[in-house]
Amino acid sequence: AGGDPCRPRGLPRSPGGCPRPRGLTSALCRSSPRPPRAMAGPPGLKPLVAVGQVTSTPDKELNFAACAGLVREAARRGACLVFLPEGFDYIGSDTAQTLSLAEGLDGDLMGRYGELARDCGVWLSLGGFHERGQDWPATQRIYNCHALLDPAGRLVAAYRKTHLCDVELEGRVTMKESSFTNPGTEIVPPVSTPAGKLGLSICYDLRFPEISLALRRAGAEILTYPSAFTVPTGSAHWEVLLRARAIESQCYVVAAAQTGKNHERRTSYGHALVVDPWGAVVAQCREGPGLCYAEIDLDYLHRVRREIPVHGHRRPDLYGTVAAAGLAPAP
């Protein structure tokens, strides 16, 4: 998908001189119409994020080359934060292969992504790393880990997927993530980035609004759901769930995605996208690997929150407080 012949012309330049998309689109994305911007903040250069869509296979070298190419392209366009999907490192063809290819966060692959972040000067949301944790010798199970790297290549946050995907759609999809993956035990506090305060989740977590509300309560302005949705579940639920999480939390929602045939038994839905705090899809990838871009307008976000202050209207006296260990309410 994509390529220079489709690249938009006449792009404004970022302060660093890199061409950047006007508003929200790239050659590899489409942008849905927004509602009238009566609530929008003043015009100006906003932080730009890039959202990746890839087709990972069991070949880790090919996957790294593809992801690195997208990161470098995003950096040239002036993005400050690049999102890659669940399974960006690889998608194994069976459980044995999945376990055999896993590495620790201190391994070679994460070291290479640290170098990539440094070389490009960008933040990297690496949204679903097959992690061999310290308990690997005892459990022989891995973690599904969302790693966040800063532009110095340092690991600043690691969220381990708390909701594991065990589903069976008769005759269509069977998944049992818990058969080889340990569930995470905590929600990670939002991390301050140049684009806003980022709350980390992974794929199946999308179906549980409690985690998004906990992150919102702790100050999140962007929620991210790097994913590898199947075609049956993606076509039915992907966009509507992402828009719901954005509306109820009044956050930007960023969802990088796997797309296409990962191996002979696996096809992913794709449709990586960005939703704004009003619930509008402001950027979305077409079919195939590529990037879409969105500017994060925090003035707009805070105006939405002021005009419809649902966070202050919640009734914990009636239905309990959405909270999580280690997450303090935002001031």
Side-chain angles (χ1 to χ4, degrees), residues 89-158:
D89 50 351
Y90 63 89
I91 292 184
S93 58
D94 54 41
T95 298
Q97 185 179 55
T98 297
L99 293 175
S100 70
L101 292 173
E103 299 183 20
L105 288 173
D106 58 352
D108 174 70
L109 185 61
M110 195 57 67
R112 292 166 71 183
Y113 274 98
E115 292 176 4
L116 181 65
R118 287 194 297 274
D119 289 346
C120 294
V122 297
W123 289 72
L124 291 180
S125 164
L126 304 174
F129 176 72
H130 296 82
E131 179 200 2
R132 286 193 183 186
Q134 293 182 347
D135 57 0
W136 165 255
T139 68
Q140 296 295 293
R141 291 169 177 255
I142 60 176
Y143 291 91
N144 191 339
C145 179
H146 186 161
L148 184 66
L149 306 184
D150 69 12
R154 295 181 297 242
L155 178 70
V156 296

Side-chain angles (χ1 to χ4, degrees), residues 109-272:
L109 185 61
M110 195 57 67
R112 292 166 71 183
Y113 274 98
E115 292 176 4
L116 181 65
R118 287 194 297 274
D119 289 346
C120 294
V122 297
W123 289 72
L124 291 180
S125 164
L126 304 174
F129 176 72
H130 296 82
E131 179 200 2
R132 286 193 183 186
Q134 293 182 347
D135 57 0
W136 165 255
T139 68
Q140 296 295 293
R141 291 169 177 255
I142 60 176
Y143 291 91
N144 191 339
C145 179
H146 186 161
L148 184 66
L149 306 184
D150 69 12
R154 295 181 297 242
L155 178 70
V156 296
Y159 164 75
R160 293 166 179 90
K161 190 176 182 182
T162 52
H163 301 97
L164 301 183
C165 186
D166 290 357
V167 301
E168 185 168 357
L169 306 181
E170 188 173 350
R172 293 183 290 170
V173 174
T174 298
M175 298 182 68
K176 194 167 180 61
E177 192 175 15
S178 66
S179 67
F180 60 91
T181 305
N182 292 315
T185 59
E186 63 180 3
I187 301 172
V188 174
V191 178
S192 292
T193 76
K197 294 180 181 178
L198 184 65
L200 307 182
S201 300
I202 303 172
C203 199
Y204 192 59
D205 290 329
L206 175 61
R207 296 184 181 274
F208 302 89
E210 293 85 355
I211 189 170
S212 66
L213 294 175
L215 289 167
R216 163 69 176 90
R217 182 171 177 266
E221 295 164 317
I222 306 168
L223 302 175
T224 182
Y225 295 97
S227 297
F229 258 58
T230 67
V231 172
T233 57
S235 57
H237 301 150
W238 174 247
E239 183 174 313
V240 69
L241 283 172
L242 291 165
R243 294 181 69 192
R245 298 294 84 84
I247 293 166
E248 72 198 4
S249 67
Q250 297 176 316
C251 288
Y252 279 91
V253 166
V254 178
Q258 290 285 337
T259 184
K261 191 168 184 178
N262 305 106
H263 52 71
E264 62 276 7
R265 293 192 300 276
R266 165 85 195 199
T267 301
S268 296
Y269 178 65
H271 298 268

Side-chain angles (χ1 to χ4, degrees), residues 34 37 39 221-222 243-253 274-282 295-305 308:
R34 295 175 64 107
R37 292 300 301 270
M39 291 190 295
E221 295 164 317
I222 306 168
R243 294 181 69 192
R245 298 294 84 84
I247 293 166
E248 72 198 4
S249 67
Q250 297 176 316
C251 288
Y252 279 91
V253 166
V274 181
V275 186
D276 76 8
W278 188 252
V281 177
V282 294
E295 289 179 336
I296 303 299
D297 187 344
L298 295 183
D299 289 338
Y300 176 59
L301 176 146
H302 292 296
R303 189 163 184 179
V304 169
R305 291 181 178 184
I308 309 180

Side-chain angles (χ1 to χ4, degrees), residues 25-47:
T25 60
S26 80
L28 296 167
C29 76
R30 67 170 176 83
S31 178
S32 299
R34 295 175 64 107
R37 292 300 301 270
M39 291 190 295
L45 204 59
K46 306 295 192 298

Side-chain angles (χ1 to χ4, degrees), residues 7-8 10-23 45-46 48 50 71-80 82 119-122 293 295:
R7 183 169 296 173
L11 300 178
R13 294 188 174 267
S14 70
C18 296
R20 60 187 295 173
R22 208 177 246 117
L45 204 59
K46 306 295 192 298
L48 187 73
V71 171
R72 291 192 172 98
E73 171 67 13
R76 287 194 295 269
R77 292 289 192 97
C80 64
V82 185
D119 289 346
C120 294
V122 297
Y293 296 86
E295 289 179 336

